[in-house]
Amino acid sequence: KGWLQAGSRKSKEDRLWRMYNDAIDSMEEHLVSRGSDGLLYLNNLDWNGGHTKPVGRSDVAMEHLACFVPGWLALGVPHQTDPARKARHLKLAEELAYTCYQMYEQQPTGIGPERVKGQRMDLSKTDTREYILRPEAAEGWWYMYELTRDDKYREWGWKTFLNFEKHLRVAYGYASLRDVRDPRRGKM
């Protein structure tokens, strides 16, 4: 976003553009993994230093916050001049957006959890099952729709909104949900 907002689009050699591509390259190398369920996950890295090779502990957990990554990949795709990189980034964005959708789709409430640990959508390895009104997935799907014009992203957003209405709506807005696995449990 910073590169786009700064008006740096005139020069693909710009420092911010290089940083963006370097970040995606590192993310692909160190954080992206495919689960036994076939979904693509973006894991966490507790970084303790290191410049050429990260030093730290990898945590096989995808945070809901990571669901914006398809959005920022979608922002960059139209500006890529390397066709191979452009195709790779688009595929990565599509697969991560789908994983985020599955975070919602596979819960009985249709509401995605704060995180998925151990690449287990049934949340059997996840220590917390709440939803705390995160916008990242919906925002990522919106950007993906704007990039691809594929209606599935709008459908995912609409389905999620309907589940918000059903499970999160309170008198003056929306409330967090304690457990996305249990549609009978109360709001926070």
Side-chain angles (χ1 to χ4, degrees), residues 42-157:
L42 186 57
N43 298 309
N44 294 326
L45 178 68
D46 294 328
W47 184 68
N48 297 324
H51 295 288
T52 57
K53 183 176 181 184
V55 177
R57 184 180 64 84
S58 182
D59 184 17
V60 182
M62 184 161 166
E63 302 287 332
H64 193 285
L65 293 170
C67 288
F68 179 68
V69 171
W72 63 260
L73 287 168
L75 284 170
V77 164
H79 305 286
Q80 291 292 349
T81 55
D82 175 4
R85 181 176 283 219
K86 184 176 193 166
R88 195 175 79 239
H89 288 190
L90 179 58
K91 183 173 176 25
L92 179 60
E94 290 171 338
E95 288 197 65
L96 290 173
Y98 183 70
T99 299
C100 292
Y101 174 66
Q102 290 302 309
M103 288 173 74
Y104 285 74
E105 183 67 13
Q106 292 190 33
Q107 307 313 318
T109 58
I111 309 284
E114 178 64 12
R115 71 188 49 81
V116 171
K117 287 190 170 189
Q119 299 175 335
R120 298 290 306 262
M121 287 290 179
D122 66 0
L123 306 184
S124 60
K125 294 189 175 194
T126 302
D127 57 350
T128 181
R129 296 177 175 176
E130 79 268 9
Y131 174 76
I132 56 174
L133 304 177
R134 297 280 194 198
E136 290 78 18
E139 189 176 2
W141 300 331
W142 180 78
Y143 279 108
M144 290 301 295
Y145 172 74
E146 289 296 315
L147 173 67
T148 66
R149 293 299 186 196
D150 187 333
D151 280 330
K152 73 181 173 194
Y153 298 112
R154 290 171 32 150
E155 291 164 13
W156 296 353

